[in-house]
Amino acid sequence: MTAVYAGPVQRLIDELGRLPGVGPKSAQRIAFYILKLAPEDARRLAGSIVEVKEKISWCRRCFNIAEGELCQFCQDERRDRTVLCVVEEPRDIVAVERTQEFRGSYHVLQGTISPIEGIGPDQLRIKELLTRVRDDGVTEVILATNPNTDGEVTAMYLARALSESGTKVTRIASGLPVGGDLEYADEVTLGRAFEGRRTLDP
Amino acid sequence: MPGLYRDHGVVLRTIKLGEADRIVSFMTQGNGKVRAVAKGIRKSGSRFGARLEPTCHVMIQCYRGRELDVVTQVETVEAHRTLREDYNSFTHAVTMLEAVDQVAQEREPAPALYRMLTGALRTLDTTPSPVITPGFYWKLLSLEGYHPHLDGCVRCGAEEGPFVAFDLAEGGVLCPTCGRLGGRRIAPEALTFLSRLVGGELHLAMAEPPDPLHLLEVERLGIAALEHHSERRIRSANLL
């Protein structure tokens, strides 16, 4: 399609159209919204995009997003360095933090092994994890990848890769969601819930 | 009810869609390859749960859409749990799924292909053997009309062995003279194994599997042949 709008507007539409989930029509709508914005609002938006790219990078130790060399969790001295929780994405850390159950440190893989997408162990931060476990005196590695196919494959791979290190490797439990309905539980989930059942103390 | 249909199918792959949905590809018994949206499947309280993960054999009820159907109900037929909890079996299963995904046509019934896939997955789940996947590739090629020619040289027609190479474009073996001009080298033991696979002796081959090297040779050749004919890469094969 030939450009119908003046140069800068068309450039803005093209750039917006590259965002995930934004098609050409939505890009056009957002671009016109920005055109109508007050200059200071538009400058603030542009400024925050520039700022996030300049200030935020990957944490040197755990590959979470970080403002500076280390992320907030790696800087925190009160956190237990000997227990590592392995997650897929920085967003998963937020989910684990909300539980307030975990006081150890994290390691972000930045993806999962996905045979279907052709993503192998080498494209993830697995080598760094193995070095960390070997050098930092880690006593337990908790594998908290998603309980879907790719996450399970990654957990199986990590368990195998970590078996030589002698460190205790655990996998987060799967089972019925609290507030769920037994009738609608699928066989695999319900099966695992039965496997992982526990004694109730009266 | 118009628009609603039921079918058996195997989940080939899933793609994330929007916030909490996924597009799921099925190889079905009566409707060929079907792509359908499973709404809300990524939420932890989803009623589909773990039923729509790759390799699952399920019974589905879908609402027919213009391009994508919508999954309304799912029941598990075979969950293949053992297979999913073993790294080796699972990566092998995924290459089979990917091969089927490339070969199958959308909404063109292919019951033979469906039967072959469910059979192969079931065997890989209950009695894993390294012979299953290569066997599946070559049977898939035969089913698609690329049955390999192993009884004589495909270029000059020489019927006497030994044959030393395999020509992907011609789909058959080459004699030493023609083999000099091209084709992939292949060991005679690997060829014997291949002829057992395509000659309906898969069970015998499973009982006494050949040397791992020759097995790998036949497996790699099968992948190369599939890639040659479908003109697409089988990406998951890199992880084997």
Side-chain angles (χ1 to χ4, degrees):
Chain A
M1 198 178 80
T2 49
V4 247
Y5 297 108
V9 180
Q10 188 60 46
R11 269 202 296 284
L12 180 62
I13 294 176
D14 291 346
E15 286 303 322
L16 289 170
R18 287 159 68 173
L19 298 176
V22 179
K25 272 283 178 214
S26 325
Q28 204 172 316
R29 191 167 47 84
I30 300 169
F32 275 93
Y33 173 78
I34 291 174
L35 270 181
K36 280 189 196 154
L37 274 184
E40 61 271 21
D41 288 342
R43 206 157 282 131
R44 203 171 51 238
L45 172 66
S48 55
I49 294 177
V50 173
E51 190 186 8
V52 79
K53 286 312 282 181
E54 276 174 358
K55 288 199 180 151
I56 301 290
S57 59
W58 303 121
C59 170
R60 190 164 47 84
R61 194 179 290 154
C62 73
F63 303 99
N64 183 14
I65 43 173
E67 197 178 345
E69 282 241 313
L70 292 175
C71 72
Q72 64 197 91
F73 303 107
C74 290
Q75 277 174 3
D76 191 345
E77 290 297 328
R78 287 165 301 175
R79 283 195 165 254
D80 189 352
R81 286 282 154 71
T82 58
V83 183
L84 267 191
C85 175
V86 180
V87 292
E88 293 176 13
E89 301 285 347
R91 276 173 303 183
D92 299 330
I93 292 187
V94 180
V96 177
E97 276 302 302
R98 273 205 308 259
T99 65
Q100 303 190 344
E101 292 279 340
F102 182 67
R103 296 295 301 160
S105 18
Y106 292 96
H107 189 91
V108 184
L109 294 173
Q110 299 189 339
T112 47
I113 296 177
S114 173
I116 299 172
E117 306 293 328
I119 297 174
D122 300 340
Q123 278 126 293
L124 307 173
R125 304 288 185 180
I126 290 180
K127 228 184 303 146
E128 290 86 345
L129 172 68
L130 298 180
T131 331
R132 249 182 112 183
V133 170
R134 199 184 55 218
D135 299 347
D136 292 4
V138 174
T139 52
E140 182 180 357
V141 178
I142 305 170
L143 301 175
T145 50
N146 287 334
N148 55 26
T149 322
D150 288 348
E152 292 290 349
V153 172
T154 313
M156 284 190 282
Y157 179 86
L158 287 177
R160 213 157 64 165
L162 286 164
S163 62
E164 284 169 21
S165 68
T167 316
K168 180 175 164 195
V169 180
T170 53
R171 175 89 174 107
I172 49 164
S174 317
L176 300 172
V178 178
D181 221 357
L182 205 67
E183 187 192 351
Y184 284 109
D186 65 279
E187 296 72 13
V188 177
T189 309
L190 194 55
R192 286 214 195 157
F194 265 88
E195 268 175 21
R197 70 186 183 277
R198 57 181 176 185
T199 324
L200 274 184
D201 291 325
Chain B
M1 241 192 290
L4 269 182
Y5 67 93
R6 279 167 176 241
D7 206 340
H8 278 260
V10 174
V11 179
L12 297 178
R13 65 176 298 182
T14 61
I15 309 164
K16 284 185 185 175
L17 176 74
E19 274 299 303
D21 311 339
R22 275 204 189 117
I23 298 176
V24 185
S25 308
F26 299 95
M27 179 66 222
T28 64
Q29 192 173 27
N31 290 280
K33 190 167 90 174
V34 166
R35 297 201 308 144
V37 179
K39 290 193 172 153
I41 190 172
R42 280 151 66 199
K43 292 183 187 158
S44 63
S46 160
R47 65 206 149 86
F48 299 133
R51 291 189 186 101
L52 293 177
E53 295 285 321
T55 70
C56 268
H57 180 191
V58 287
M59 203 167 97
I60 47 171
Q61 178 174 299
C62 289
Y63 192 81
R64 176 98 59 204
R66 208 184 301 167
E67 265 191 36
L68 293 169
D69 300 352
V70 178
V71 185
T72 53
Q73 275 178 41
V74 188
E75 254 177 81
T76 312
V77 179
E78 291 167 295
H80 299 308
R81 236 185 115 181
T82 336
L83 179 156
R84 276 158 65 175
E85 286 170 8
D86 182 89
Y87 187 73
N88 260 336
S89 299
F90 184 73
T91 40
H92 275 95
V94 168
T95 55
M96 298 200 288
L97 297 181
E98 194 180 347
V100 171
D101 193 22
Q102 292 188 355
V103 165
Q105 300 293 316
E106 278 189 42
R107 289 181 188 165
E108 289 223 359
L113 184 57
Y114 164 83
R115 270 200 306 276
M116 215 166 81
L117 181 63
T118 46
L121 288 175
R122 197 174 302 136
T123 323
L124 203 58
D125 187 50
T126 49
T127 47
S129 153
V131 176
I132 299 166
T133 357
F136 182 81
Y137 297 147
W138 286 101
K139 282 181 178 293
L140 183 62
L141 282 162
S142 296
L143 190 70
E144 291 298 303
Y146 301 109
H147 189 80
H149 186 74
L150 302 172
D151 306 327
C153 175
V154 273
R155 290 240 177 105
C156 67
E159 284 178 12
E160 286 300 310
F163 302 107
V164 293
F166 193 94
D167 190 314
L168 290 177
E170 307 260 5
V173 287
L174 296 173
C175 68
T177 329
C178 300
R180 248 180 277 140
L181 302 169
R184 276 169 74 120
R185 304 280 111 197
I186 184 162
E189 292 90 340
L191 275 181
T192 325
F193 170 54
L194 179 54
S195 63
R196 282 187 113 174
L197 280 188
V198 294
E201 293 181 14
L202 188 62
H203 281 89
L204 289 178
M206 267 178 76
E208 24 180 312
D211 186 88
L213 263 181
H214 299 135
L215 190 83
L216 192 71
E217 223 177 319
V218 172
E219 187 173 75
R220 290 273 154 208
L221 191 67
I223 293 172
L226 276 170
E227 286 179 343
H228 181 89
H229 291 303
S230 68
E231 295 180 347
R232 281 160 77 182
R233 301 262 309 132
I234 296 183
R235 285 189 288 181
S236 49
N238 294 337
L239 289 191
L240 290 184

